[in-house]
Amino acid sequence: MNKTALLARIVETLEHDVEVLRRAAQTAYETATAEENIAENKYDTLGLEASYLATGQARRTAEIREALLTFQQLRPRDYDPARGIQVSNLVTLEDEDGVQRLLFIGPEGAGLKIGEGAQQVTVITPRSPLGQALLGKGVDDEVRLVVAGVAQVAFVVEVV
């Protein structure tokens, strides 16, 4: 997969997410401030709940905007075997069962999934346990991770 095209898709997805969340936050704000939602008694909490929702959505929108800005400024670097895996590398991992997955080491946007089927790429950050384990590794290196008390092993198949 072409990293430049992947970055463009990540930016496009984040822009879409920001717009969807912005609209949802606006709707929640309008609900929270609507005259008909003014509390009539202590049990009437619709306006208060909508306010909490609007605040949470506004925070999430700000987080995604920050990730978007970071990705817009990111200049992808080619893989350097001497430095190992770094931010902006696209990594193919293969587990012990032969199942492969594509990971993009991004500065933000952890958990974002781009593409479909076998060409799906998951964005991870260096702050995640897997991201930490991958930093500095190279092709054919083994990556060990303990998840919920279970050891998992994967091998770096390709890095771009």
Side-chain angles (χ1 to χ4, degrees), residues 90-108:
L90 181 61
V91 180
T92 304
L93 284 185
E94 185 173 304
D95 67 18
E96 293 174 309
D97 297 325
V99 177
Q100 291 188 354
R101 61 184 175 154
L102 286 168
L103 304 170
F104 181 78
I105 314 296
E108 297 288 336

Side-chain angles (χ1 to χ4, degrees), residues 19-29 53-54 57:
E19 182 56 26
V20 167
L21 272 172
R22 186 198 62 75
R23 280 187 266 137
Q26 181 63 33
T27 300
Y29 172 77
L53 180 62
Q57 288 172 327

Side-chain angles (χ1 to χ4, degrees), residues 6-146:
L6 175 62
L7 278 173
R9 296 254 333 258
I10 290 171
V11 166
E12 178 182 303
T13 301
L14 289 171
E15 287 172 339
H16 176 264
D17 290 353
V18 163
E19 182 56 26
V20 167
L21 272 172
R22 186 198 62 75
R23 280 187 266 137
Q26 181 63 33
T27 300
Y29 172 77
E30 289 168 2
T31 301
T33 58
E35 190 172 317
E36 66 267 12
N37 291 331
I38 294 174
E40 295 176 7
N41 60 51
K42 67 180 182 178
Y43 302 108
D44 191 3
T45 60
L46 178 63
L48 181 62
E49 291 168 7
S51 172
Y52 290 151
L53 180 62
T55 300
Q57 288 172 327
R59 281 190 193 127
R60 182 67 183 132
T61 300
E63 290 170 2
I64 293 175
R65 276 195 178 121
E66 187 175 316
L68 175 60
L69 181 61
T70 303
F71 272 102
Q72 287 171 330
Q73 295 172 350
L74 181 66
R75 298 297 165 244
R77 291 176 278 178
D78 290 332
Y79 170 65
D80 178 2
R83 292 186 64 204
I85 295 171
Q86 301 293 315
V87 170
S88 86
N89 286 149
L90 181 61
V91 180
T92 304
L93 284 185
E94 185 173 304
D95 67 18
E96 293 174 309
D97 297 325
V99 177
Q100 291 188 354
R101 61 184 175 154
L102 286 168
L103 304 170
F104 181 78
I105 314 296
E108 297 288 336
L112 188 64
K113 295 186 185 317
I114 304 295
E116 284 140 40
Q119 283 297 312
Q120 184 168 328
V121 177
T122 303
V123 177
I124 65 170
T125 68
R127 295 181 300 276
S128 71
L130 181 56
Q132 290 173 7
L134 283 171
L135 287 181
K137 298 282 186 186
V139 174
D140 295 329
D141 282 351
E142 181 180 284
V143 178
R144 290 185 175 273
L145 200 60
V146 177

